[in-house]
Amino acid sequence: MSASSDEVAPKDGAATPDLDRAISRVEHELGRLFARIRVSWREAATTVHPDLQPLGYQVLTSIATGKATSAGAIIERLQTDKSAVSRHVRQLEQLGLVESVPDPDDRRARVLVATELAQERVALARARYEERLGERLRRWTAEDLDHFAELLAAFGD
């Protein structure tokens, strides 16, 4: 990320009042954004099933997208504990959203797969989320969106 031409960050890492205020504002806005994301996960979970919790939705989407198909992979991907994942996988199985099947590459192991019902519900939840996000982002210019994406990418590095 680059500093604006009006204010360049000190080279020695020393804080300035303007920089401190800007950092505080970013922290505040990130907090608001994360809160909104948690609300979105809750809404998406409810769309899939009224009893599903946000973490259960994240577990399900990890399975449904094929990004994590074992408990160990889900734990790694979501950075959560084994008991929480086990509890949510059990609930997803009870709701008919996930099945444990033999691993085609290693018949001794099992993998988790999303059922057709889960795929449909996740697609519906994603469509609703993408619609809301699109409504917000379409208020911006393509140039602003490109700049925002660049800033997010730089922040994530």
Side-chain angles (χ1 to χ4, degrees):
M1 274 192 288
S2 63
S4 74
S5 58
D6 296 345
E7 180 182 337
V8 177
K11 293 190 188 325
D12 63 1
T16 66
D18 288 343
L19 187 57
D20 286 344
R21 276 191 297 278
I23 289 170
S24 290
R25 183 166 179 225
V26 167
E27 290 171 344
H28 173 76
E29 294 303 329
L30 283 173
R32 288 184 57 220
L33 178 61
F34 294 148
R36 184 66 198 128
I37 289 168
R38 285 191 298 274
V39 168
S40 293
W41 284 338
R42 191 174 324 115
E43 291 170 353
T46 301
T47 297
V48 172
H49 191 280
D51 296 334
L52 192 61
Q53 297 295 311
L55 181 57
Y57 176 75
Q58 291 178 287
V59 169
L60 178 59
T61 58
S62 294
I63 295 166
T65 60
K67 293 179 180 168
T69 57
S70 69
I74 294 167
I75 290 165
E76 178 70 25
R77 178 171 168 73
L78 300 179
Q79 294 294 297
T80 191
D81 62 278
K82 183 178 181 179
S83 63
V85 169
S86 295
R87 186 171 54 252
H88 288 289
V89 166
R90 202 168 33 256
Q91 180 190 33
L92 292 167
E93 288 175 322
Q94 290 168 350
L95 295 173
L97 299 169
V98 167
E99 297 173 336
S100 175
V101 299
D103 183 337
D105 298 328
D106 179 357
R107 296 306 242 177
R108 297 168 296 170
R110 302 203 52 91
V111 293
L112 299 166
V113 296
T115 64
E116 189 174 318
L117 173 64
Q119 293 289 358
E120 291 169 5
R121 299 272 176 90
V122 167
L124 176 61
R126 292 285 316 150
R128 288 179 178 173
Y129 170 76
E130 289 169 2
E131 183 179 328
R132 285 191 309 272
L133 183 62
E135 286 173 8
R136 289 174 180 252
L137 294 179
R138 282 187 187 87
R139 299 176 194 158
W140 295 12
T141 66
E143 189 175 278
D144 285 344
L145 289 169
D146 286 339
H147 186 230
F148 181 58
E150 288 170 10
L151 291 172
L152 283 174
F155 184 70
D157 287 343

